[in-house]
Amino acid sequence: MELLDLEVRRAAHWQQREGVPAAELGAKLRGGEPLAPREARLAGMLAQQEPLLHVGLGLLLNMAEADVAVEARMVKKVRDG
Amino acid sequence: MLPLQEALYEDDLGAMTAAAGAVAQLFADPRARGVLQGHLPLLQALARLLREDAKKSTELCASLLAAFFELSRLPAAHALLAQVGPRAEGRGVHRQGPGRPSRAHAAGSAALHVVVLLRYARPPPTPNPGPPALFVQLQKQVLLRPAPPRCVSPTAEPGGLPHYGTAGP
């Protein structure tokens, strides 16, 4: 969980550094528009994170799916902050 | 198995990433998964890497998480994962001091928030369709008349509806 949050914060830092919001980049990628060098660099870095986020969230979902107590603890942690 | 486990203790990040990726591939094999889940030293080595070195490289972190992800597909291995997991988290919390909430705890809550949002995400509320038709009619002071009874012509749809009004046999 800590690692997932680290990656989310990394992505936010990259967006701030490149000055390109991810939503705008996603809209450009969906529209098939050409990307500026900064946007292409950001897209590459975000694409590197995708497998990590996929397996990390999948792991947490698997753990929560199998045991209701684990899921309840997750919800409790989120509610307590 | 032993060379793989020894490679997890290398100083080179590339070697560790390759070894973790190989372990993840082994865990993906259903025949090997059952054998590997009984290999507690390997799991402890993976947990240690995840705790200490995963922040240094995204690829290494992804490989380690992939191994645990494949293992989490086995319901029987969840107890083992829970046994390895809190041990890894507990050391980090202990370093921060008992009275103060750890940074790891605060950071993990955000990722948990994502998971809970995924689990409990509800579809966005539909836009307000506006007042009901009866309310609009009453606002316009239009008299509501009942709809006329539907008359079915004997020749309207042959074979579709029964022919009301015609003399039966």
Side-chain angles (χ1 to χ4, degrees), chain B residues 153-166:
Chain B
S153 167
T155 58
E157 293 176 4
L161 295 169
H163 292 186
Y164 296 115
T166 57

Side-chain angles (χ1 to χ4, degrees), chain B residues 4-154:
Chain B
L4 270 182
Q5 193 175 342
E6 284 177 358
L8 291 176
Y9 290 97
E10 293 281 340
D11 290 334
D12 184 21
L13 275 180
M16 281 195 291
T17 305
V23 172
Q25 282 185 350
L26 276 178
F27 275 127
D29 189 357
R31 292 168 298 182
R33 206 182 291 159
V35 180
L36 288 176
Q37 69 169 340
H39 203 292
L40 194 59
L42 176 65
L43 291 178
Q44 286 173 347
L46 289 174
R48 182 192 61 82
L49 270 185
L50 193 65
R51 188 174 62 243
E52 294 176 359
D53 295 330
K55 289 179 186 173
K56 296 177 186 171
S57 163
T58 306
E59 287 81 11
L60 174 62
C61 182
S63 302
L64 292 169
L65 283 182
F68 283 114
F69 172 63
E70 296 293 343
L71 192 62
S72 74
R73 293 184 179 184
L74 274 182
H78 284 185
L80 201 60
L81 282 176
Q83 182 188 351
V84 171
R87 195 177 299 167
E89 288 179 5
R91 289 182 183 172
V93 171
H94 186 65
R95 279 195 207 111
Q96 296 285 333
R100 196 169 48 166
S102 70
R103 192 176 170 191
H105 182 270
S109 64
L112 268 180
H113 189 67
V114 175
V115 174
V116 171
L117 280 180
L118 283 172
R119 292 275 305 177
Y120 296 99
R122 292 189 174 88
T126 55
N128 191 5
L134 178 61
F135 181 75
V136 174
Q137 297 281 346
L138 287 175
Q139 286 291 317
K140 290 180 181 176
Q141 297 292 325
V142 176
L143 289 177
L144 293 177
R145 293 178 184 172
R150 188 177 178 186
C151 300
V152 180
S153 167

Side-chain angles (χ1 to χ4, degrees), chain A:
Chain A
M1 293 181 296
E2 183 188 350
L3 293 168
L4 286 181
D5 189 72
L6 176 69
E7 293 301 324
V8 170
R9 278 187 285 146
R10 257 186 196 159
H13 172 68
W14 289 338
Q15 290 175 53
Q16 192 179 3
R17 192 182 64 188
E18 302 293 341
V20 181
E24 185 182 326
L25 180 63
K28 278 194 173 182
L29 285 173
R30 276 195 299 273
E33 299 176 23
L35 299 178
R38 283 186 160 199
E39 293 168 340
R41 198 163 51 232
L42 179 62
M45 289 188 289
L46 291 179
Q48 276 187 347
Q49 284 187 327
E50 288 295 321
L52 192 152
L53 295 177
H54 173 73
V55 293
L57 290 175
L59 170 64
L60 290 180
L61 283 175
N62 276 350
M63 295 287 289
E65 189 75 30
D67 193 355
V68 181
V70 173
E71 189 175 352
R73 268 189 293 174
M74 287 185 177
V75 174
K76 186 172 180 298
K77 272 192 178 183
V78 170
R79 283 184 184 159
D80 295 346

